[in-house]
């Protein structure tokens, strides 16, 4: 069924880097044969799923949408992929993204652009643009993305689907190619809230292979489907409805709050005074971590290797010069600069301190409220080509999602009306490890 739909629309949407039709058919056949003997039938038995191409899949090309990994075939599965396999899912293919998850439009992929299924002249968002577009276009019912500064929620909002960034540590990062290790999280992208919660349930939990995964019990998220939000306290940061946020997004959020109010929730305006420093702080920290994480791509250990190098240094230089795209190079340079001695205190250390202040803003609000609500993005999907030559405008697009990663919190984007023909997203942010309440509100609202 998935492949029939993919044949219908993939020419237009271009969501996949790799389609593994042969592998998927073989796997489906095996599952069919085992169906009788399989004692426990998981909900996901036989379900098709697409995986973002920065999550490693044994024997299946994993490129991070980069030339430097154009021929990289991993010899192991990410923990999340292993869990999906054990539950009987069928991996359909690997989804397009911005190179190494750096971007907000999927235009930074070395291989192709992905088009927004709602309007083929617009971006699907990024960096998990392929994942959101594939779900929105009906190519797969489930996808995994990764979110470092908004890469699950922003494309989910642009494509009218549901995307969850879990609490930092909720899902194992083992096998997720690292961009900024203190911010990265894997999460589900689905068509509705229930599917999303089921998928998170499946992939969540502590993992001995990832020391940053948290040893915190994973609650039964299905308990969240009560429809009951009576007495729930919602905080709405005034910074999230202020300058730079479009009238349509503001109106959609206010309409959503009305719905929740009718259901018995109460809301109040609050302030997150340091959130305005989020973007600057994020781009320093994320670039610093990236410059360190991406040092491993040297032409020796993985992927692409430049030809005609004169010596080892020359090989490193040529491989990286040819293998990385412009945005990745920009971040490596910025990050290396920010970490270099003499500048470290002024940039990296300062940014760490600001990160703490941003986290404290949220801590304070959560003393009196259950969730924080605002738009996912300041505007609906923008046109292809509109921001790609101006990195700062592109970065500014993440202003509402980034503080959540800096604070390590869980947050979902659910569809929340339209601006013309373009979907908008409502962002619901929760306390650490309280995905249940986030799902409860999202489900009641949906
Ligand atoms: N757009 C942001 C960036 O370019 C976020 C990316 C992400 O979450 N992976 O860094």
């Amino acid at each position: 069924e998935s492949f029939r739909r993919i044949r219908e629309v993939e020419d237009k949407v271009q969501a996949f880097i790799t389609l593994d039709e042969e592998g998927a058919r073989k796997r489906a056949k095996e599952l069919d044969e085992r169906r009788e003997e399989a004692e426990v039938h998981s909900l996901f038995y036989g379900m098709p799923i697409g995986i973002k191409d920065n999550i490693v899949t044994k024997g299946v090309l994993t490129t991070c949408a980069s030339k430097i990994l154009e021929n990289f075939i991993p010899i192991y599965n990410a923990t999340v992929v292993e869990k999906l396999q054990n539950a009987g899912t069928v991996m359909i293919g690997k989804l397009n993204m911005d190179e190494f998850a750096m971007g907000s439009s999927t235009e930074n992929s070395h291989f192709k652009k992905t088009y927004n299924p709602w309007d083929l002249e617009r971006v699907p968002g990024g960096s998990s643009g392929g994942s959101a577009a594939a779900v929105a276009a009906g190519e797969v019912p489930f996808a995994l993305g990764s979110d470092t500064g908004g890469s699950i929620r922003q494309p989910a909002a642009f494509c009218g689907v549901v995307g969850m960034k879990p609490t930092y540590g909720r899902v194992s990062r083992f096998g997720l190619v690292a961009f900024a290790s203190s911010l990265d999280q894997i999460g589900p992208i689905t068509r509705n809230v229930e599917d999303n919660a089921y998928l998170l349930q499946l992939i969540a939990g502590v993992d001995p292979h990832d020391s940053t995964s948290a040893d915190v019990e994973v609650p039964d998220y299905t308990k969240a489907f009560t429809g009951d939000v009576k007495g729930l306290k919602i905080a709405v940061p005034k910074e999230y409805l202020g300058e730079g946020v479009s009238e349509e997004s503001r109106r959609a959020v206010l309409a959503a709050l009305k719905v929740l109010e009718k259901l018995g929730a109460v809301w109040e305006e609050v302030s997150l005074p340091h959130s305005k420093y989020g973007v600057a702080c994020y781009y320093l920290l994320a670039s610093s971590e990236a410059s360190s994480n991406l040092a491993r791509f040297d032409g020796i250990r993985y992927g692409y290797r430049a030809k005609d190098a004169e010596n080892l240094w020359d090989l490193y230089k040529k491989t990286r010069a040819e293998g990385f795209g412009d945005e990745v190079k920009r971040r490596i340079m910025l990050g290396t600069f920010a970490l270099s001695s003499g500048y470290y205190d002024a940039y990296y250390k300062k940014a760490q301190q600001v990160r703490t202040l941003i986290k404290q803003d949220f801590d304070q609000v959560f003393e009196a409220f259950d969730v924080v609500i605002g738009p996912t993005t300041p505007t609906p999907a923008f046109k292809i080509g509109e921001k790609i030559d101006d990195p700062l405008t592109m970065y500014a697009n993440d202003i509402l999602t980034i503080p959540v990663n800096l604070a390590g919190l869980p947050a979902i984007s659910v569809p929340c009306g339209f601006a013309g023909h373009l979907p908008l997203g409502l962002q619901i942010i929760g306390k650490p490890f309280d995905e249940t309440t986030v799902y409860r509100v999202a489900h009641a609202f949906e």
Side-chain angles (χ1 to χ4, degrees):
E1 188 62 14
S2 262
F3 283 105
R4 191 180 58 72
R5 181 67 183 159
I6 287 168
R7 269 190 286 275
E8 270 170 25
V9 299
E10 179 61 8
D11 269 359
K12 293 197 193 111
V13 178
Q14 303 277 321
F16 286 88
I17 291 178
T18 303
L19 274 166
D20 187 20
E21 184 156 1
E22 200 184 316
R25 287 196 187 284
K26 209 169 124 214
R27 167 103 175 126
K29 201 159 161 253
E30 270 168 28
L31 287 169
D32 256 354
E33 282 159 11
R34 279 198 354 231
R35 187 177 287 273
E36 296 299 312
E37 68 204 66
E39 275 180 32
V40 198
H41 276 180
S42 104
L43 277 170
F44 283 93
Y45 202 84
M47 283 290 177
I49 185 159
I51 310 275
K52 187 176 181 179
D53 211 18
N54 59 350
I55 299 174
V56 302
T57 41
K58 188 175 170 180
V60 179
L61 191 65
T62 299
T63 68
C64 292
S66 182
K67 178 173 170 153
I68 214 157
L69 289 176
E70 66 182 2
N71 55 5
F72 174 55
I73 298 185
I75 53 167
Y76 69 104
N77 277 328
T79 297
V80 291
V81 173
E82 205 58 37
K83 288 189 174 193
L84 289 172
Q85 289 216 334
N86 293 340
T89 61
V90 179
M91 211 271 287
I92 298 292
K94 304 298 295 286
L95 292 155
N96 199 19
M97 54 184 280
D98 287 295
E99 186 178 2
F100 286 104
M102 297 175 189
S104 308
S105 66
T106 314
E107 291 166 290
N108 291 334
S109 167
H110 170 67
F111 300 103
K112 53 163 83 168
K113 288 190 183 66
T114 295
Y115 299 85
N116 190 316
W118 292 87
D119 178 342
L120 297 171
E121 282 171 20
R122 294 185 186 256
V123 302
S127 64
S128 313
S131 304
V135 172
E139 294 180 288
V140 283
F142 300 96
L144 289 186
S146 69
D147 191 314
T148 306
S151 278
I152 288 175
R153 290 159 287 155
Q154 185 255 26
F158 281 9
C159 292
V161 295
V162 179
M164 173 68 136
K165 184 205 88 79
T167 310
Y168 184 79
R170 180 54 102 190
V171 177
S172 167
R173 291 185 296 111
F174 181 70
L176 169 67
V177 178
F179 159 15
S181 318
S182 77
L183 301 159
D184 300 340
Q185 267 294 287
I186 296 172
I189 298 183
T190 56
R191 300 191 79 150
N192 61 51
V193 174
E194 284 195 31
D195 285 358
N196 203 282
Y198 281 117
L199 186 50
L200 179 61
Q201 188 94 50
L202 182 60
I203 61 173
V206 64
D207 175 14
H209 293 306
D210 173 8
S211 62
T212 65
S213 69
D215 195 358
V216 176
E217 204 194 324
V218 182
D220 180 358
Y221 295 129
T222 59
K223 295 236 164 73
F225 310 147
T226 57
D228 180 12
V229 291
K230 259 189 220 85
L232 189 107
K233 294 207 188 83
I234 300 170
V236 181
K238 63 171 194 275
E239 293 81 3
Y240 277 46
L241 295 177
E243 211 187 312
V245 176
S246 72
E247 196 44 47
E248 299 130 321
S249 302
R250 203 188 337 252
R251 238 185 284 135
V253 170
L254 292 173
L257 289 168
K258 275 232 169 71
V259 173
L260 290 165
E261 229 170 20
K262 272 219 181 92
L263 294 170
V266 290
W267 69 273
E268 225 175 280
E269 195 173 271
V270 299
S271 176
L272 297 171
H274 298 94
S275 62
K276 59 172 179 284
Y277 304 115
V279 172
C281 169
Y282 167 87
Y283 277 96
L284 269 167
L285 295 176
S287 302
S288 298
E289 293 186 30
S291 72
S292 162
N293 275 324
L294 270 57
R296 74 192 63 171
F297 302 106
D298 55 8
I300 307 292
R301 283 172 284 196
Y302 322 82
Y304 178 76
R305 179 177 298 174
K307 294 185 189 62
D308 309 321
E310 279 160 27
N311 52 42
L312 188 62
W313 264 119
D314 196 40
L315 177 69
Y316 290 160
K317 276 201 269 188
K318 281 198 173 124
T319 298
R320 290 168 66 86
E322 293 165 21
F324 289 134
D326 288 349
E327 183 61 28
V328 176
K329 285 181 189 155
R330 186 177 295 130
R331 307 237 185 152
I332 293 175
M333 286 191 282
L334 182 66
T336 307
F337 172 77
L339 289 178
S340 47
S341 75
Y343 295 101
Y344 178 90
D345 283 345
Y347 295 108
Y348 185 79
K349 196 166 157 216
K350 245 298 154 15
Q352 288 285 33
Q353 289 164 336
V354 175
R355 180 176 188 173
T356 303
L357 293 174
I358 290 174
K359 163 108 179 41
Q360 286 170 351
D361 282 355
F362 278 108
D363 288 347
Q364 218 164 30
V365 167
F366 280 127
E367 276 175 23
F369 294 88
D370 301 301
V371 290
V372 174
I373 281 186
T376 308
T377 57
T379 62
F382 47 88
K383 288 232 160 89
I384 290 172
E386 192 181 315
K387 298 187 199 275
I388 194 69
D389 297 325
D390 182 359
L392 286 183
T393 333
M394 189 72 93
Y395 296 173
N397 195 257
D398 301 330
I399 176 169
L400 305 172
T401 45
I402 276 176
V404 170
N405 301 72
L406 290 170
L409 304 170
I412 202 168
S413 178
V414 284
C416 165
F418 287 83
H421 62 299
L422 301 170
L424 293 165
L426 181 74
Q427 185 173 208
I428 305 165
I429 306 166
K431 297 176 186 170
F433 297 103
D434 190 15
E435 284 85 6
T436 309
T437 304
V438 173
Y439 279 132
R440 180 151 66 92
V441 180
H443 180 261
F445 168 71
E446 190 180 39

